[in-house]
Amino acid sequence: MNRSDYHIKSYCRIRDGKISKDGELLFSDASEEFPAFIKAAYKHFETDYSKFFKMDNLSKLAFMGAEVLLRGNDEENTALILSNRASSLDTDRKHQAAISNPKGGFASPAVFVYTLPNICMGEISIRHKLYSENSFFIFAEFNPHLLSNYTNDLLETGKAKEVLCGWVDYDKEKYDAFLYVIGKKGLLAHNTEGLTKLYRTK
Amino acid sequence: MNNVYLSHNNIVSAYGFDSASAIDSIKDEVSGLSLVDDSSILPNPFYSSLITQDSLSEAFQKLDPKEAYTRLEQILLVSLSDTIKKSGLELTDRVGLILSTTKGNIDVLETKNPFDESRAYLAELGQKIEDFFGFKNEALVLSNACVSGVLALAVAKRLIRQKRYDHVFVVAGDLVSEFILSGFNSFQALSEAPCKPYCKTRSGINIGEVGCSILVTKDDNNLVDESVRLIGEASCNDANHISGPSRTGEGLYRSIVSAMNQAKIDADAIDYISAHGTATLFNDEMEAIAFNRANLQDVPLNSLKGYFGHTLGASGLLETIIGMHSLYSNTLYASLGFDKLGVSQPLNIIKETTSKESSIFLKTASGFGGCNTAAIFQKVNS
């Protein structure tokens, strides 16, 4: 049971070479590999942000989801509550491979900084000038119950006016993002059953 | 709004296996940092505070484990078992578990590590802890860089306020690993000497390790002498840079102001600040600016990094526990390593351990990704 006075304003799905918003397909690309796909998406949405290309895969995924949802959204107090399964393991493995290189490894600060899952929220905050709450949770799978409880508390206590919430996972070349904005008014009621259904809809 | 309290607590550190061991040493201004020469972690000797493996194994065997656990899991289990036991709480479906960590079992990625790489998944680490004690709810793992430990207390409060739980055990821990040290070394952030937060002659951070745990509860009938009420918290991003702190201290300043508003107090109500103080030039300077903007420049302040080094995702919880003991004993602990102010704005650094009647303290933390958290605690018993 999860009652709430809040609504899902908008939601975005990124997986299997497709990006959709509110159930409508906005972009698809046949590239099998994530870097090519996300680069094509960057161009398709006419994103103008050169720092995008230095980001790691997880941040690129989260960044594009936020781009789709927050472009045109002028609520400055939008908190970020994201979650995933693999944390930053994709980049962690790269950092570990670099330092354990038998020929004499060395760490790169440009890689090391991305060995934290919350960096993707930092990237979104910079892009959209959000001086707001950030929390990154790790779950075995998408957990709308906890995210809803936490979101409702931030909204009820006035810590945030809106919340960008959801799931953003990148692991072993597989990617899956389901992000949504919760606010006072919107498309759908904010409840865990609805979120679970939207997440499972292909 | 319901009161939320911090109660039973434990610290597993270089000082020993309970909070008292750490507090006693800090009171005597004894650092837990020592020179470590272990080329499997870093080619050059480095200063760190490490938990002794032999003592840890001994303490862990007393828990009668039925399978093999990683070093970090042992640390977390030893700490949490003490806190759960002392609380006497039954782990019903009204009791939650939050694990706060920056890197978890990251050492299993090393080829020499005997554990499977799957152990690096943080949800698996959470599940190990949850299963060991038989928690009825899934462990929530919070991984928010260096603010994780203090943010976890805010998360616990928020979930209690949402009536999801009546009690939450928060456990935090991070290891000193090759992974972490090589990374900070690549930023040229590691000091070759014991760190000196806010000091003119500071030269960077030391990395240390701890495991610590605490009971967060809405009940006032299961408190301890050092218990505090969490009266305000906030977490604001700098929206400025992913690895460099804001030059205006924006996120930290906003966090402090928002936490004070929630606590309904002004700057002059704060008796003590337990700051982040990593002893890097940019961090310490950013904090000095933020504290001055919040009109807190005269409040006695310390960094505890000179005792433990920077213990990453655990640091915020560790330093909150020490702050609780500091309030209870009306003692302000010296900011170890400090000699002469080395930031551009005034700060009231605690030079020597002194007695002071105190009832409210502010804990702050800042980390990569531009994250900042401030939390305000008020003494319950006096």
Side-chain angles (χ1 to χ4, degrees):
Chain A
M1 189 183 72
N2 187 276
R3 277 169 299 167
S4 161
D5 297 332
Y6 302 100
H7 288 80
I8 301 169
K9 278 183 76 178
S10 191
Y11 60 96
C12 170
R13 202 79 175 84
I14 306 180
R15 65 172 182 185
D16 300 333
K18 296 188 186 82
I19 300 181
S20 65
K21 183 185 179 189
D22 302 339
E24 182 195 341
L25 183 67
L26 296 183
F27 171 74
S28 69
D29 183 87
S31 303
E32 282 185 16
E33 295 190 346
F34 178 78
F37 160 71
I38 205 75
K39 190 176 172 185
Y42 174 91
K43 285 186 178 158
H44 173 81
F45 291 106
E46 296 177 347
T47 323
D48 182 18
Y49 195 67
S50 59
K51 284 192 267 180
F52 179 80
F53 296 99
K54 70 172 178 55
M55 293 180 195
D56 74 339
N57 291 320
L58 177 66
S59 293
K60 283 178 178 163
L61 180 62
F63 182 93
M64 280 317 296
E67 237 5 62
V68 169
L69 292 174
L70 297 185
R71 199 179 272 187
N73 184 338
D74 54 5
E75 178 49 63
E76 286 178 6
N77 193 1
T78 298
L80 307 178
I81 308 176
L82 299 185
S83 59
N84 74 8
R85 176 173 178 272
S87 181
S88 54
L89 265 174
D90 179 57
T91 305
D92 296 352
R93 292 186 186 106
K94 286 185 183 130
H95 174 71
Q96 186 67 43
I99 61 177
S100 49
N101 183 339
K103 289 176 190 164
F106 63 93
S108 152
V111 173
F112 180 66
V113 70
Y114 286 100
T115 63
L116 294 164
N118 64 296
I119 295 295
C120 68
M121 298 189 298
E123 297 283 18
I124 295 169
S125 299
I126 295 167
R127 168 68 165 176
H128 299 280
K129 297 189 176 58
L130 301 175
Y131 299 100
S132 50
E133 290 265 351
N134 287 184
S135 308
F136 205 106
F137 293 96
I138 313 294
F139 301 120
E141 55 188 23
F142 177 55
N143 183 340
H145 298 268
L146 186 278
L147 295 176
S148 298
N149 280 159
Y150 195 62
T151 299
N152 288 343
D153 195 71
L154 290 184
L155 294 168
E156 283 169 14
T157 55
K159 292 278 182 204
K161 290 271 174 49
E162 294 188 354
V163 180
L164 173 69
C165 207
W167 180 260
V168 52
D169 197 43
Y170 188 98
D171 191 22
K172 297 181 176 164
E173 292 160 24
K174 287 204 166 122
Y175 56 96
D176 180 18
F178 171 55
L179 301 175
Y180 49 94
V181 178
I182 304 295
K184 277 258 180 229
K185 292 176 186 165
L187 290 174
L188 302 159
H190 175 220
N191 58 52
T192 55
E193 296 80 5
L195 288 169
T196 305
K197 202 173 151 193
L198 288 180
Y199 175 68
R200 289 187 182 151
T201 304
K202 299 223 171 184
Chain B
M1 190 183 301
N2 293 336
N3 282 319
V4 173
Y5 303 95
L6 273 54
S7 183
H8 299 277
N9 57 84
N10 170 280
I11 297 170
V12 168
S13 71
Y15 293 118
F17 292 81
D18 56 15
S19 301
S21 311
I23 303 297
D24 289 345
S25 300
I26 292 168
K27 210 176 279 172
D28 295 338
E29 299 182 28
V30 176
S31 178
L33 295 167
S34 59
L35 192 64
V36 179
D37 193 354
D38 181 350
S39 59
S40 72
I41 302 182
L42 198 71
N44 312 320
F46 58 98
Y47 275 89
S48 184
S49 72
L50 301 176
I51 297 163
T52 318
Q53 186 58 46
D54 288 350
S55 325
L56 175 65
S57 301
E58 195 184 316
F60 185 62
Q61 285 311 315
K62 288 183 189 154
L63 305 182
D64 195 21
K66 303 285 188 269
E67 54 177 295
Y69 288 89
T70 67
R71 180 168 150 76
L72 179 64
E73 287 160 4
Q74 292 180 29
I75 292 169
L76 297 171
L77 292 169
V78 166
S79 178
L80 188 54
S81 79
D82 182 49
T83 299
I84 293 174
K85 197 174 156 191
K86 284 192 293 200
S87 77
L89 273 180
E90 190 191 339
L91 301 180
T92 66
D93 62 356
R94 299 299 303 157
V95 179
L97 169 64
I98 298 177
L99 164 62
S100 113
T101 184
T102 300
K103 292 313 309 169
N105 283 318
I106 199 66
D107 53 324
V108 303
L109 294 188
E110 296 165 14
T111 45
K112 64 184 184 213
N113 191 291
F115 287 90
D116 191 83
E117 199 201 287
S118 63
R119 210 73 161 216
Y121 286 88
L122 295 179
E124 187 153 333
L125 172 61
Q127 180 139 28
K128 287 282 171 201
I129 310 296
E130 173 193 322
D131 290 348
F132 187 90
F133 297 106
F135 277 89
K136 302 287 187 290
N137 289 297
E138 183 189 358
L140 308 178
V141 183
L142 182 68
S143 187
N144 234 72
C146 302
V147 309
S148 303
V150 64
L151 181 58
L153 298 171
V155 173
K157 177 182 176 176
R158 292 164 182 180
L159 295 175
I160 288 173
R161 207 162 40 194
Q162 288 292 309
K163 301 188 168 51
R164 187 176 182 87
Y165 305 120
D166 296 329
H167 318 277
V168 179
F169 286 96
V170 178
V171 60
D174 266 301
L175 292 179
V176 169
S177 60
E178 178 193 28
F179 186 101
I180 290 296
L181 284 179
S182 65
F184 278 100
N185 204 26
S186 76
F187 270 104
Q188 298 180 317
L190 291 182
S191 170
E192 289 179 353
C195 69
K196 304 182 78 176
Y198 310 108
C199 187
K200 200 159 196 173
T201 55
R202 71 192 175 293
S203 58
I205 64 178
N206 305 136
I207 302 293
E209 64 188 11
V210 296
C212 46
S213 54
I214 198 159
L215 171 66
V216 183
T217 177
K218 70 185 184 68
D219 286 351
D220 58 8
N221 56 11
N222 196 1
L223 303 185
V224 291
D225 288 342
E226 66 272 20
S227 277
V228 291
R229 211 178 265 120
L230 174 47
I231 58 173
E233 26 64 33
S235 182
C236 298
N237 199 284
D238 282 334
N240 172 64
H241 195 277
I242 53 168
S243 60
S246 157
R247 285 182 190 277
T248 57
E250 199 60 39
L252 180 57
Y253 166 72
R254 287 176 185 238
S255 302
I256 294 169
V257 170
S258 173
M260 289 201 298
N261 286 342
Q262 189 178 36
K264 297 189 176 66
I265 58 162
D266 293 325
D268 58 9
I270 294 173
D271 296 301
Y272 157 59
I273 302 170
S274 174
H276 192 51
T278 60
T280 67
L281 182 69
F282 292 116
N283 173 83
D284 292 3
E285 179 65 16
M286 178 279 283
E287 286 185 78
I289 290 165
F291 289 131
N292 275 267
R293 287 182 67 189
N295 206 20
L296 291 164
Q297 64 278 4
D298 299 326
V299 180
L301 169 153
N302 65 10
S303 158
L304 296 165
K305 303 293 190 284
Y307 297 94
F308 298 94
H310 186 359
T311 55
L312 308 176
S315 61
L317 180 57
L318 168 74
E319 293 158 8
T320 297
I321 294 172
I322 293 163
M324 290 164 62
H325 287 270
S326 180
L327 279 199
Y328 171 63
S329 61
N330 291 305
T331 308
L332 300 179
Y333 305 125
S335 195
L336 208 62
F338 179 79
D339 179 26
K340 198 173 175 203
L341 193 67
V343 288
S344 69
Q345 310 273 316
L347 286 176
N348 182 5
I349 310 286
I350 304 164
K351 292 200 179 87
E352 48 190 44
T353 298
T354 45
S355 295
K356 190 199 168 197
E357 191 71 35
S358 307
S359 70
I360 291 181
F361 83 99
L362 164 69
K363 172 75 205 115
T364 67
S366 303
F368 277 175
C371 54
N372 301 273
T373 300
I376 300 173
F377 304 94
Q378 183 174 36
K379 191 193 265 181
V380 175
N381 300 314
S382 52

